[in-house]
Amino acid sequence: MALTTLPLLDAAEAASLRALLATAQWQDGRATAGAQAVRVKNNQQLAPACDAARKAGAVIRAALDRNPRLLSAALPRKVFPPHFNRYGGDANRYGPHVDGAVRLAPGGERVRTDLSCTVFLSDPQDYDGGELLISEGDSRRSVKLAAGHAVLYPGTHVHEVTPVTRGERLACFFWIESMVRSSEQRRLLFEFDEALMALRAQGESNITVTMAGTYHNLLRMWADT
């Protein structure tokens, strides 16, 4: 399963977003669910146009732009604006579902959901449950990360959020349309780039120059901008 976890926000940024979201007006998450998801969705979300969502979204976008590992893994062409959800109390779970293949962003732009990303904002010790379960065939991964850490995974996978039985789980979620549509090609490019960065950390050489050229030639071959 192609799944990448990485730190995105530092502790202070995650804490500031929690404080901002604590004062926000939340709405029933089912208002934005499709016909299949509405049957299993039971959480709360921020209205995308509200002040808190816009301020928090700007923090997330800035963090994305400065994170080379996420950019390498996703190779973004378009990013759907970050959304925010809350689990706890009676609105505490999201059953198994698959995200829609294309999302309509504000302004009418369509974004193909090649990759899904969840950024955990609550400290894991502050709530029980709330694991993100990601399935691929008979394989299943359970993800519950430290505040400020993100998980990136293919939008094609069935996933769910288990019931939060204590406390509150705050998170950001969004989708990425990649320049490289093939998940296999993206995986190969990411592994190539990771290996190249490890070699370059030991010093530049003719080999690293050649490898960098090969990486960019493959990207040039496969990318759609």
Side-chain angles (χ1 to χ4, degrees), residues 3-14 59-60 62-73 117-121 143 145-152 174 190 194:
L3 183 153
T4 303
T5 61
L6 67 163
L8 188 66
L9 305 171
D10 61 31
E13 288 173 319
V59 173
I60 296 294
L64 295 179
D65 291 341
R66 67 171 186 259
N67 193 298
R69 190 161 185 261
L70 188 145
L71 297 175
S72 175
C117 187
T118 295
V119 185
F120 290 78
L121 299 177
V143 183
L145 302 178
H149 286 232
V151 57
L152 187 71
F174 57 91
F190 182 48
E194 292 269 273

Side-chain angles (χ1 to χ4, degrees), residues 27 32 45-55 57 80-84 106:
Q27 63 184 19
T32 60
Q45 288 182 198
L46 287 187
C50 78
D51 189 55
R54 287 188 286 104
K55 289 179 178 177
F80 191 83
H83 282 44
F84 298 86

Side-chain angles (χ1 to χ4, degrees), residues 132-148:
L132 175 63
L133 298 182
I134 305 170
S135 302
E136 184 180 35
D138 295 331
S139 174
R140 176 181 284 192
R141 287 279 300 273
S142 176
V143 183
K144 185 174 180 177
L145 302 178

Side-chain angles (χ1 to χ4, degrees), residues 40-116:
V40 296
K41 187 175 186 180
N42 184 23
N43 66 3
Q44 293 181 312
Q45 288 182 198
L46 287 187
C50 78
D51 189 55
R54 287 188 286 104
K55 289 179 178 177
V59 173
I60 296 294
R61 285 302 304 263
L64 295 179
D65 291 341
R66 67 171 186 259
N67 193 298
R69 190 161 185 261
L70 188 145
L71 297 175
S72 175
L75 298 170
R77 183 170 182 254
K78 299 177 185 178
V79 178
F80 191 83
H83 282 44
F84 298 86
N85 56 26
R86 180 170 72 174
Y87 293 81
D90 293 331
N92 65 0
R93 69 183 299 271
Y94 198 162
H97 64 285
V98 177
D99 295 330
V102 177
R103 306 287 299 194
L104 189 64
E109 183 179 44
R110 288 177 170 81
V111 178
R112 190 179 64 242
T113 59
D114 296 324
L115 294 158
S116 300

